[in-house]
Amino acid sequence: MTNPLHFDLQSLRVFLLAAELGSLTRAAERAHLTLSAVSKRICDLEKTIDCPLFVRQPRGLELTPAGQELLEHTRTILDNVNRMAADIGEFATGVRGHLRLWANTSAVLQFLPDDLAAFLGERPQVRISLEERLTEEIIAALDSERIDLGVFADNLPAPTLQLRPYRQSRLVLLVPVGHPLAKFGRIAFVDTLAYDHIGLAHGTSLLRLLIDSAVTAQRILRLRMQVGSFDAIGRMVEAGLGIGVVPDGAVHGERLKAGLRAIPLTDDWASRTLWVGVKSEETLLPEARELWQFLLRAGRAVWRGDRRRRGLVHGMSASTLFTCRTITPCKIFMPNWSVSRAVLV
């Protein structure tokens, strides 16, 4: 049986270089080691797992099945070690806390940049790691306490979490000005299904919502192509390749000036609530509680403005929404926060 204590990081790094470069000689040059030292480390790894890692071919090294498996784990291990070193090292520079926040695409693209910038402007000693994830992943991570806070759509139940409303997002249909649907001021989603759509990637909450709505209407959502962002949907629609459903906050003025129309959907589900959730407010660290309360205040201020313009969602009062506690129903670096687009949503 393989003893996990026999693995060392330097040998794993050498193995990774050899696997990626396909040569022990080039791995030795990159690692600034002698060829014999690299060979010994690979040999020691093979003895540890009692399996060969490479097949020596005339054109270079080829991974065995055991080598392929070890390669995947090695990448994860070294990435986690690098992140650990970076996170711990920040405390030496005065960082007071490190918060883990996951959010869906709508929140990342529309609302969180301004809110996080305002929060961190008042707290330069706090660092936030923001990852863009699917709603179901966010709920699972909160439930297992792998993250501090999550922002996600209301399409999945989260009975074990404490949730508060963060923002309202209204879905609109993007069409070119010359499209047959461009003449409508409002439209039902079912009336768009005769045309090709541009959608997001499979697994995203928005695409799942659209497919479910089409199935309910006993129709098929004709996806001509799928892209990784709302901006990409706008570009494809602008090019005349189809129509697309996006949140109203993702529609920029320049897009409309470029020849697009944003038509509100009349369906009840087209008005979505984004929740901000935690496992338990009582167990939050001080910095996480500050962010939780800040996001609630930011959402409450916007919500009050939205109430005057379009009324309360689903007939719930603002006091009801903001006192509920449990509901059952690429990296971009900035001075002290980062966004990891781990999943395109």
Side-chain angles (χ1 to χ4, degrees):
M1 182 177 178
T2 301
N3 187 338
L5 298 179
H6 289 173
F7 292 100
D8 71 89
L9 296 178
Q10 180 65 358
S11 293
L12 291 176
R13 178 172 174 267
V14 167
F15 164 72
L16 178 64
L17 290 173
E20 292 180 341
L21 298 174
S23 165
L24 293 183
T25 301
R26 282 184 285 172
E29 293 173 353
R30 183 73 65 84
H32 305 291
L33 296 172
T34 64
L35 179 58
S36 60
V38 168
S39 297
K40 185 178 186 307
R41 287 187 177 275
I42 297 298
C43 183
D44 289 344
L45 278 176
E46 291 178 329
K47 288 179 180 178
T48 297
I49 66 173
D50 198 24
C51 287
L53 296 172
F54 295 103
V55 176
R56 276 70 175 177
Q57 302 284 8
R59 291 177 296 178
L61 299 177
E62 182 178 310
L63 286 168
T64 65
Q68 290 281 4
E69 187 71 21
L70 182 61
L71 178 62
E72 295 302 316
H73 288 290
T74 295
R75 284 175 172 150
T76 301
I77 291 169
L78 295 181
D79 182 55
N80 287 339
V81 169
N82 287 334
R83 291 165 65 181
M84 176 188 69
D87 292 346
I88 297 301
E90 287 170 354
F91 286 95
T93 63
V95 171
R96 187 164 59 91
H98 192 162
L99 306 181
R100 299 157 299 171
L101 169 64
W102 287 9
N104 71 351
T105 299
S106 293
V108 170
L109 294 182
Q110 298 181 82
F111 309 119
L112 284 174
D114 289 341
D115 287 347
L116 293 183
F119 176 81
L120 293 172
E122 301 172 1
R123 302 162 183 84
Q125 263 63 51
V126 174
R127 180 175 175 82
I128 298 175
S129 291
L130 170 64
E131 293 193 23
E132 182 180 338
R133 296 286 185 131
L134 300 176
T135 291
E136 58 193 28
E137 293 178 315
I138 298 170
I139 292 174
L142 282 170
D143 200 41
S144 61
E145 300 185 76
R146 287 181 287 131
I147 59 175
D148 300 301
L149 293 92
V151 180
F152 51 92
D154 59 358
N155 60 309
L156 289 177
T160 62
L161 304 179
Q162 292 184 335
L163 308 180
R164 303 284 181 86
Y166 171 55
R167 287 291 203 281
Q168 273 292 110
S169 178
R170 184 77 197 180
L171 297 176
V172 298
L173 179 73
L174 275 186
V175 299
V177 170
H179 193 277
L181 298 180
K183 62 184 178 182
F184 293 99
R186 306 176 72 206
I187 194 168
F189 178 66
V190 67
D191 294 328
T192 73
L193 295 175
Y195 301 93
D196 289 337
H197 278 247
I198 311 297
L200 293 177
H202 279 298
T204 60
S205 58
L206 177 55
L207 181 61
R208 181 183 299 147
L209 177 64
L210 298 182
I211 291 175
D212 288 347
S213 300
V215 170
T216 299
Q218 299 185 344
R219 301 283 295 278
I220 295 175
L221 178 63
R222 291 164 41 181
L223 283 174
R224 185 172 187 182
M225 59 183 63
Q226 293 171 262
V227 294
S229 67
F230 297 131
D231 184 64
I233 290 178
R235 290 178 180 273
M236 296 300 175
V237 173
E238 188 179 337
L241 297 175
I243 60 178
V245 174
V246 299
D248 53 4
V251 182
H252 304 295
E254 57 267 24
R255 280 271 176 266
L256 301 180
K257 293 177 182 177
L260 295 183
R261 282 211 61 208
I263 306 171
L265 293 177
T266 58
D267 307 80
D268 291 339
W269 50 260
S271 179
R272 303 194 302 166
T273 299
L274 295 181
W275 300 110
V276 55
V278 296
K279 178 65 174 178
S280 170
E281 182 178 2
E282 289 72 23
T283 60
L284 288 175
L285 295 174
E287 295 80 12
R289 186 177 292 109
E290 287 182 13
L291 178 58
W292 160 260
Q293 293 170 350
F294 185 92
L295 294 179
L296 293 184
R297 289 195 300 271
R300 190 178 295 118
V302 173
W303 184 278
R304 286 169 179 159
D306 286 347
R307 286 178 64 200
R308 301 187 188 100
R309 293 195 300 272
R310 57 193 182 197
L312 293 173
V313 62
H314 304 313
M316 296 176 69
S317 69
S319 60
T320 299
L321 280 168
F322 283 100
T323 56
C324 63
R325 296 177 67 82
T326 303
I327 309 298
T328 307
C330 98
K331 290 192 175 180
I332 306 169
F333 290 100
M334 292 184 70
N336 55 343
W337 67 292
S338 64
V339 180
S340 173
R341 307 201 72 175
V343 180
L344 291 175
V345 183

